[in-house]
Amino acid sequence: MNSKHKQKIGLVLGSGGLRGLAHIGVIKVLLKNNIPIDYISGASAGSFVGSYLATHGEIESFEKLILENTKDLLPLFFDFSLQGLVDGNKISMFLKKILKDADFSETKIPFSVIATDLITGQPAVFSKGKIVPAVRGSMSIPILFKPVSYQGKLLVDGGLSNPVPVGILKENKIDKVIAVNLYHPNEFRNKKFTLTQIALRSTRIALHNLSKVSVNQADVILNPDVSYYLSKFKVTDYFKPENIKKIIMIGELEATRLLPEIKKLLKE
């Protein structure tokens, strides 16, 4: 994976819920074209995909795993606790299985997870200890998932504080950063709203604007557009193999579009 290139290249995988399937396509193109990845950071959905890449050093088997287990994925998100929130135990078990319950020190590629500390409201960065609770915390969408208590913090979705965590790579002296921002301007084309849609749009506006700030330091920014699927599909539609493939392809197309810029970056 890591060639003897002079510059260290970092890959940032942003938050975005089920948009995160596009990360798979981005990574496929980078690896196919021998783009070196020396460090990975991820928030929320990005921590999920990034943890697999960091642990296994490849993404093809992850894509196969997702496509072959679509019927098993949806129940992971309906593991309700007595408080009416998704407990997350099933998700934790799934993560332990696919990540081999590894420590950060055991990854093939250095990796950092960004979650949000519900107590302080600040980003919580993890690069030591067990990977699974950090990723599980970073994926914990408030109200839907129970917060995760880990390393003295109460963790919720990393996207709330740092949706595209570029800064952590700069702090680790990574020379060039490729960032994937999953919040696309085309998500704001709809002009008619129900009360529920107003609430969802308000959250989306906040995340969209925060992501633009988070990604500011990146050298190359990929912005896959999955807005069509967000507006047309129900949540359950995302777990249909044909739709998963389409969203992965959107990531591939975006990475292919910016591949000349990425290759140019490596020569600078």
Side-chain angles (χ1 to χ4, degrees), residues 90-102 132-133:
K90 289 182 181 179
I91 293 178
S92 293
M93 290 175 62
F94 177 73
L95 289 171
K96 285 182 180 180
K97 180 179 179 180
I98 67 171
L99 301 178
K100 304 176 183 178
D101 201 21
V132 169

Side-chain angles (χ1 to χ4, degrees), residues 244-258:
I244 290 175
K245 289 178 181 179
K246 289 174 183 177
I247 297 174
I248 290 173
M249 179 58 70
I250 288 172
E252 291 185 49
L253 291 172
E254 177 68 357
T256 301
R257 183 179 73 86
L258 287 171

Side-chain angles (χ1 to χ4, degrees), residues 13-17 42-49 114 135 138-141 157-159:
L13 303 175
S15 67
S44 196
S47 74
F48 178 40
V49 180
I114 285 72
V135 172
S138 184
M139 294 171 64
S140 296
I141 301 170
D157 196 325

Side-chain angles (χ1 to χ4, degrees), residues 26-43:
V26 168
I27 295 166
K28 285 175 65 177
V29 171
L30 295 180
L31 297 184
K32 181 180 179 181
N33 288 275
N34 298 313
I35 304 300
I37 301 172
D38 297 298
Y39 206 117
I40 305 164
S41 68

Side-chain angles (χ1 to χ4, degrees), residues 8 18 71 118 138 147 156 174 196 211 233 236 250 264:
K8 289 186 177 181
L18 295 170
K71 292 182 180 179
L118 187 61
S138 184
V156 291
I174 300 302
T196 301
S211 70
F233 290 171
T236 52
I250 288 172
K264 181 181 177 182

Side-chain angles (χ1 to χ4, degrees), residues 75-244:
L76 297 177
F77 295 87
F78 292 93
D79 179 18
F80 290 104
S81 69
L82 294 176
Q83 291 86 0
L85 299 171
V86 178
D87 188 271
N89 287 334
K90 289 182 181 179
I91 293 178
S92 293
M93 290 175 62
F94 177 73
L95 289 171
K96 285 182 180 180
K97 180 179 179 180
I98 67 171
L99 301 178
K100 304 176 183 178
D101 201 21
D103 279 31
F104 283 94
S105 61
E106 299 174 302
T107 59
K108 294 184 177 180
I109 305 171
F111 176 52
S112 289
V113 170
I114 285 72
T116 301
D117 186 352
L118 187 61
I119 297 172
T120 65
Q122 297 300 307
V125 180
F126 298 93
S127 56
K128 295 180 180 179
K130 290 289 185 182
I131 297 174
V132 169
V135 172
R136 166 70 183 84
S138 184
M139 294 171 64
S140 296
I141 301 170
I143 308 300
L144 179 60
F145 289 98
K146 287 181 66 176
V148 174
S149 180
Y150 185 53
Q151 294 188 10
K153 302 179 186 298
L154 191 61
L155 306 178
V156 291
D157 196 325
L160 295 175
S161 58
N162 196 349
V164 195
V166 174
I168 185 64
L169 296 192
K170 293 295 185 179
E171 291 171 12
N172 280 279
K173 298 182 180 180
I174 300 302
D175 299 299
K176 301 294 181 180
V177 175
I178 302 165
V180 187
N181 179 9
L182 298 176
Y183 300 102
H184 197 280
N186 284 344
E187 293 181 21
F188 298 100
R189 286 183 172 179
N190 183 25
K191 297 180 181 179
K192 297 181 180 180
F193 317 107
T194 64
L195 188 61
T196 301
Q197 288 171 334
I198 290 173
L200 290 173
R201 191 180 184 92
S202 298
T203 302
R204 193 170 292 172
I205 288 170
L207 289 170
H208 182 267
N209 287 315
L210 183 57
S211 70
K212 288 193 293 185
V213 176
S214 295
V215 82
N216 192 44
Q217 298 181 68
D219 297 282
V220 177
I221 303 169
L222 283 68
N223 195 195
D225 180 9
V226 300
S227 58
Y228 174 82
Y229 299 98
L230 292 175
S231 62
K232 299 295 182 182
F233 290 171
K234 299 177 182 178
V235 172
T236 52
D237 289 332
Y238 281 92
F239 294 93
K240 295 178 180 178
E242 61 270 25
N243 294 332
I244 290 175

